[in-house]
């Protein structure tokens, strides 16, 4: 009788989509190339989408080995399932691998807190797991390299590190050897898939697990193999394709594979969307590739990963950004080719203060960069310097375990979702209260400027009255906090309370708007943006009064400015296209004209997408399309 094997790479379900289990797929594809494995093991089930734990347990029957792909997004459900498997089948071997599995020098206490786990696999898992299966047959597993084993006397044994795979081009693909064929058939959900044009990263950023020296050397996949994987994805109607390469665009063959994906999209319609992590500081190489993807609707936007504008912070995280001159050069290149781009920052990095954070955010605006910006919380991954005691002590870093800081999930019973992440809660230059303050500025910048609801007003004020973005947004933040009866103060309080509840472990991350979609968690600034659009008259009446009182502007000018601001954002109850007439040349000013002209005859044509459903509008504008700024309308001058 063959040994009974189960694999678990549990992923969340987003908008009826689930990702194929690429990591365990690579492992099993390699293992089954060996006759001694196929002769002695049977893979009975593959759990790769989130279900209730007892329901998943019912699918695992009399297992000999259960292997878990362990990442931050499935850590708790893995632990809950593994514990129940071990209780029901105490002789089953439980194996953890993946990037949330602690490194060799950090797992001394792992088995004390996870007594149901028997083996940890470190680094790349293909060869190690195969040798572990061999060892299991011979009752000699604890000599396999690249592992840590739980010993009977409650000690641990760590073997020698496993060298990197020298040539990943010869490793089998789960797409091409039939491994994923049945999974595609049985999945009740639409499919996402991962490809890997290269593995590894030459950078050493302290917040990233790929910054470990183990992964420094880049390993490249052959283009013929990649093309065949694309063909598989197209055949099986994969809608979302994620490239796990951390520096896409770096090598010449990346252009070739992009051309192939684009051609398949044109002929078949698949994939719908592709996501890449781009080569850092190489817009000259990235831009032609990004444009090809953008022109056929595959690319949402190019990531410009800055993380911080503060020099002390960049030094602490071993990060070197492109300088401002080069940044503007790159952005100009993207703008010339009409390729969307967005900027990426991390909130909670050492050396950052509230003021330096606000300075950095508004400095980007002063550079003329008004595209979308993401401010991600500093999630501490297990195998990064951020999780080292010495690094935490050097910068006074304090961590907090909170519900996983991701949104866009739908959960009816919050008690069933237990995923947690450690995030930076404070450090030497930002205490707990200041961290919340920085988060509220993040909220303001995102809904106000980067979702556009105050952007065109602030740009007009900067252009005509020389009011800097720092002053504009810090002043309006003071107004929000002190205007107790206002629409924005209510949004501020709901958001601040929600974030504080997360830190007190009283709530899941994000905000639910049941009148838009029940039990669905939006990012906090998305929820405010949705509320503004559904109540934009109330919101802009408040902004009108604020501008009049704060800046003593002429009433008709402010009214015209707000009218222009309103038409620049798509609203779900607005029918497009339409024309409108403004008294002032607001649009021309934002295109570069610095002189106000009033003649009452500035006619604009406004175009956008028409929506029948509020959730569909919110999903496309603020979830799927925010990086490409799909929430903005297209405006053209009819005559003036």
């Amino acid at each position: 009788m063959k040994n009974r094997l189960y694999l678990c790479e549990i992923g969340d379900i987003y908008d009826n989509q689930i990702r194929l289990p690429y990591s365990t797929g690579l492992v099993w594809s390699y293992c089954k190339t060996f006759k001694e494995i196929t002769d002695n093991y049977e893979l009975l089930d593959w759990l790769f989408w989130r279900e209730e734990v007892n329901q998943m347990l019912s699918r695992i029957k009399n297992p000999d080995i259960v292997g878990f792909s362990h990442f931050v997004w499935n850590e708790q459900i893995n632990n809950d399932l593994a514990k129940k498997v071990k209780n029901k089948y105490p002789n089953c071997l439980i194996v953890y691998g993946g990037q949330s599995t602690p490194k060799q020098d950090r797992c001394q206490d792992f088995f004390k807190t996870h007594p149901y786990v028997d083996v940890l696999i470190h680094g790349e898992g293909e060869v190690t797991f195969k040798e572990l299966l061999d060892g299991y047959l011979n009752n000699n597993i604890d000599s396999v390299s690249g592992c840590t084993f739980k010993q009977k006397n409650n000690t641990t044994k760590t073997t020698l590190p496993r060298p990197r795979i020298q040539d990943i081009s010869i490793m089998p693909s789960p797409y091409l050897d039939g491994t994923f064929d049945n999974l595609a058939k049985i999945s009740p959900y639409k499919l996402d898939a991962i490809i890997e044009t290269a593995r590894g990263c030459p950078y050493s950023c302290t917040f990233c697990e790929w910054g470990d020296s183990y992964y420094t050397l880049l390993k490249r996949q052959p283009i013929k193999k990649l093309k065949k994987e694309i063909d598989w994805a197209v055949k099986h109607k994969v809608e979302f394709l994620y490239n796990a390469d951390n520096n896409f665009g770096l090598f010449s063959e990346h252009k070739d594979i992009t051309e192939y994906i684009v051609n398949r999209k044109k002929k078949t319609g698949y994939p719908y969307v592709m996501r890449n992590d781009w080569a850092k500081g190489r817009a000259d190489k990235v831009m032609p590739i990004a444009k090809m993807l953008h022109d056929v609707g595959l690319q949402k936007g190019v990531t410009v990963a800055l993380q911080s504008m503060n020099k002390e912070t960049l030094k602490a995280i071993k990060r070197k950004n492109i300088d401002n001159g080069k940044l503007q050069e790159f952005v100009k290149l993207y703008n010339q080719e009409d390729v969307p781009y967005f900027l990426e920052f991390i909130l909670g990095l050492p050396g950052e203060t509230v003021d330096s954070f606000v300075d950095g955010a508004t400095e980007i605006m002063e550079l003329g960069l008004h595209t979308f910006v993401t401010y991600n919380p500093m999630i501490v991954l297990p195998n990064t310097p951020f999780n080292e005691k010495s690094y935490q002590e050097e910068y006074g870093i304090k961590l907090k375990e909170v519900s996983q800081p991701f949104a866009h999930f739908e959960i009816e019973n919050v008690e069933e979702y237990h995923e947690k992440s450690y995030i930076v809660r404070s450090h030497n230059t930002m205490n707990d209260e200041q961290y919340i303050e920085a988060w509220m500025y993040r909220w303001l910048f995102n809904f106000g400027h980067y979702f556009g609801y105050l952007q065109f007003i602030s740009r007009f004020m900067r252009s005509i009255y020389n009011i800097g973005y720092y002053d504009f947004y810090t002043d309006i933040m003071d107004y929000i906090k002190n205007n107790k009866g206002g629409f924005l103060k209510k949004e501020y309080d709901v958001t601040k309370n929600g974030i504080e509840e997360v830190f007190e472990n009283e709530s899941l991350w994000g905000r639910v708007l049941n009148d838009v979609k029940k039990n669905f968690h939006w990012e906090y600034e998305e929820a405010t943006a949705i509320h503004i659009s559904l109540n934009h008259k109330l919101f802009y009446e408040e902004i009108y009064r604020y501008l009049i009182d704060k800046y003593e502007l002429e009433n008709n000018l402010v009214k015209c400015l707000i009218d222009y601001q309103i038409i620049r954002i798509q609203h779900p109850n607005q029918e497009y296209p339409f024309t409108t007439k403004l008294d002032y040349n607001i649009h021309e000013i934002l295109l570069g004209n610095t002189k106000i002209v009033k003649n009452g005859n500035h006619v604009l044509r406004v175009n956008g997408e028409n929506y029948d459903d509020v959730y569909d509008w919110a999903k496309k504008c603020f979830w799927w399309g925010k990086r490409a700024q799909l929430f903005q309308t297209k405006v053209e001058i009819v005559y003036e």
Side-chain angles (χ1 to χ4, degrees), residues 347 351-360 427 429-431 433-439 441 445 470:
L347 179 54
E352 199 84 79
T353 65
V354 174
D355 206 45
S356 73
F357 173 72
V358 175
D359 267 337
H427 47 65
T429 57
M430 189 181 289
N431 62 29
E433 184 179 347
Q434 292 165 339
Y435 184 82
I436 295 292
E437 184 181 358
W439 262 101
Y441 270 107
F445 293 145
Y470 180 94

Side-chain angles (χ1 to χ4, degrees), residues 328-353:
Q328 287 182 301
E329 178 186 325
F330 286 175
V331 168
K332 183 179 179 181
L333 185 62
Y334 291 131
N335 286 336
Q336 286 175 345
E337 298 297 334
D338 194 28
V339 173
Y341 64 93
F342 67 97
L343 308 178
E344 185 177 77
F345 290 83
I346 297 176
L347 179 54
L349 295 174
E352 199 84 79
T353 65

Side-chain angles (χ1 to χ4, degrees), residues 8-12 18 47-51 56 68-69 73-74 77-78 81:
C8 303
E9 188 173 339
I10 302 168
D12 286 311
I18 188 65
L47 289 79
F48 65 100
W49 65 80
R50 187 180 291 271
E51 300 174 273
M56 289 189 287
F68 289 83
S69 180
W73 54 77
N74 62 17
I77 198 168
N78 281 348
L81 180 58

Side-chain angles (χ1 to χ4, degrees), residues 11 41 53 58 145 201 219 232 237 268 283 309 314 320 355 412 422 446 461 469 481 507 603 607 616 633-634:
Y41 289 93
V53 172
S58 68
S145 298
C201 183
K219 309 283 187 177
W232 187 96
K237 298 184 178 181
T268 68
M309 298 294 283
L314 295 174
K320 184 179 179 181
D355 206 45
E412 184 172 352
Y422 283 97
N446 275 343
M461 300 299 289
Y469 295 105
K481 291 190 289 188
S507 175
V603 180
N607 209 344
D616 188 46
T633 58
K634 304 293 184 181

Side-chain angles (χ1 to χ4, degrees), residues 200-213:
C201 183
Y203 300 100
S204 302
C205 304
T206 62
F207 53 81
C208 180
E209 290 182 313
W210 285 103
D212 190 286
S213 59

Side-chain angles (χ1 to χ4, degrees), residues 183-242:
L183 299 190
K185 290 179 183 178
I186 67 171
S187 172
Y189 305 102
K190 295 179 288 185
L191 296 176
D192 293 356
I194 297 174
I195 60 171
E196 192 177 29
T197 51
R199 184 184 297 183
C201 183
Y203 300 100
S204 302
C205 304
T206 62
F207 53 81
C208 180
E209 290 182 313
W210 285 103
D212 190 286
S213 59
Y214 180 83
Y215 293 106
T216 299
L217 189 62
L218 288 170
K219 309 283 187 177
R220 297 151 73 173
Q221 294 276 22
I223 193 167
K224 288 183 179 180
K225 180 180 177 182
L226 290 166
K227 287 180 177 179
K228 290 178 181 178
E229 291 184 332
I230 298 300
D231 288 340
W232 187 96
V234 169
K235 177 182 177 181
H236 291 84
K237 298 184 178 181
V238 167
E239 297 191 354
F240 184 92
L241 190 67
Y242 175 65

Side-chain angles (χ1 to χ4, degrees), residues 454 456-458 460-461 465 467 472 476 479 540-555 557-563 565:
L454 294 170
F456 301 98
I457 293 172
S458 67
F460 177 86
M461 300 299 289
Y465 298 105
I467 295 171
F472 181 89
I476 205 166
Y479 162 80
Y540 283 115
E541 283 175 4
E542 183 174 340
I543 297 302
Y544 171 83
R545 293 192 300 271
Y546 169 76
L547 293 174
I548 294 290
D549 294 342
K550 176 68 177 177
Y551 300 110
E552 299 181 352
L553 302 179
E554 197 267 326
N555 285 7
L557 175 61
V558 175
K559 181 181 181 302
C560 183
L561 178 59
I562 286 181
D563 286 345
Q565 171 67 70

